[in-house]
Amino acid sequence: MNVPEPPPLPNIIGHRGVAGHAPENTLASIRETAAMGLAWVEFDVMMTKDGELVLIHDETLDRTTDGHGRVPEIPLAALKQLDAGAWFDTRFQGERIPTLAETADLLVELGLAANIEIKPARGYARETGQAVGAFLRDEWPPGLIAPIISSFWTEALEAVGEVAPGFPRGFLVGRIPSNWTEELERLGCALLHCSQRHLRRSQAEAVLASGYRLLSYTVNDGAKARALWDWGVEAVFSDYPDRLRDI
Ligand code: G3P
Ligand code: MG
């Protein structure tokens, strides 16, 4: 199988934009990522009731907007009425839930590369993967670097790989499972994205020795980042990239 690969990555990727500095998964947060001098940003993508793709982490609206209810039960027009910034700081009042299309336009403007995490609402993994695949195939801006597509959901990774096979994929896990090599091979993933909390040096070495690339989330502590980089972790996702620099 031809496994698409991203270019060499910088050692820090902004997490949900830069979630420590601006409301997660908003355009403001992505602008702030670029303003901090980062070259890559991660964000979460979910499907609305009417099949649109938006940036949000939780299936429910309550934590990061002034709305209530479940994203897969609400159409885009209603989601666009919500405030997605004031909960973080009144400076960000008026910030909206962005669509993936709006986000891609901003990435072009900023010259930022992206890791799109497919974050399906429960029961929608395959459909969300197909929708992201269709967007990549039909609408990804020409000239913008190909994003890394990641997900905890293997159905989503399978679907995106079927619809848009040329885009690099990363398998997201908490703990690295015992069958990780089989899964990466089956899914055509070049990368494994694991939680920093459970990663051991021996596991990192085994992943690299097998020719896969290893990323780790969420790292907000400088000493932890240094250890992970020493073990061969190529990039860490961080809410506070400023805390990891100059160490
Ligand atoms: O993609 C890395 C990381 O974002 C995965 O966890 O829950 O923050 O989306 P989560
Ligand atoms: Mg994420």
Side-chain angles (χ1 to χ4, degrees):
M1 194 197 303
N2 175 35
V3 177
E5 290 258 358
L9 301 171
N11 62 5
I12 305 173
I13 296 175
H15 183 235
R16 309 182 193 175
V18 274
H21 293 271
E24 63 182 58
N25 288 315
T26 62
L27 297 183
S29 198
I30 289 169
R31 279 203 186 86
E32 187 61 25
T33 311
M36 294 185 84
L38 271 65
W40 281 74
V41 64
E42 183 262 6
F43 49 80
D44 306 297
V45 170
M46 198 176 293
M47 203 169 64
T48 67
K49 182 178 186 182
D50 45 347
E52 300 290 338
L53 295 167
V54 294
L55 273 60
I56 193 160
H57 181 276
D58 298 2
E59 188 168 330
T60 51
L61 294 164
D62 301 61
R63 183 176 63 85
T64 58
T65 77
D66 58 355
H68 309 285
R70 294 177 62 240
V71 174
E73 295 167 1
I74 303 173
L76 178 64
L79 292 173
K80 278 292 186 186
Q81 304 301 312
L82 304 177
D83 189 300
W87 69 274
F88 184 86
D89 190 299
T90 50
R91 281 186 299 133
F92 296 103
Q93 191 161 9
E95 203 60 40
R96 301 291 157 193
I97 296 175
T99 63
L100 179 56
E102 290 165 345
T103 304
D105 287 345
L106 181 61
L107 295 173
V108 172
E109 183 188 319
L110 298 171
L112 259 187
N115 172 195
I116 300 176
E117 181 187 340
I118 304 175
K119 185 73 91 180
R122 207 164 342 118
Y124 293 92
R126 187 160 178 82
E127 289 95 324
T128 311
Q130 285 171 331
V132 170
F135 181 86
L136 294 170
R137 184 192 60 206
D138 302 334
E139 295 180 57
W140 189 254
L144 184 56
I145 190 167
I148 297 168
I149 311 303
S150 63
S151 190
F152 288 102
W153 296 86
T154 56
E155 299 94 322
L157 288 169
E158 285 162 7
V160 80
E162 287 161 18
V163 179
F167 289 80
R169 294 183 292 281
F171 183 32
L172 251 170
V173 297
R175 280 178 205 282
I176 297 180
S178 55
N179 64 344
W180 62 271
T181 36
E182 290 88 339
E183 285 295 78
L184 289 175
E185 191 173 351
R186 184 177 73 79
L187 296 165
C189 289
L191 308 103
L192 182 63
H193 304 192
C194 70
S195 168
Q196 53 86 17
R197 199 170 299 168
H198 310 295
L199 183 64
R200 300 287 165 261
R201 175 174 215 140
S202 57
Q203 293 175 308
E205 288 171 353
V207 172
L208 301 183
S210 298
Y212 292 103
R213 294 163 68 176
L214 185 61
L215 277 52
S216 191
Y217 64 91
T218 304
V219 182
N220 293 328
D221 173 78
K224 183 79 200 189
R226 168 57 58 206
L228 293 170
W229 294 327
D230 284 350
W231 298 352
V233 170
E234 183 170 346
V236 298
F237 299 93
S238 184
D239 303 317
Y240 296 96
D242 46 312
R243 295 184 186 169
L244 310 190
R245 286 182 165 154
D246 308 319
I247 55 161

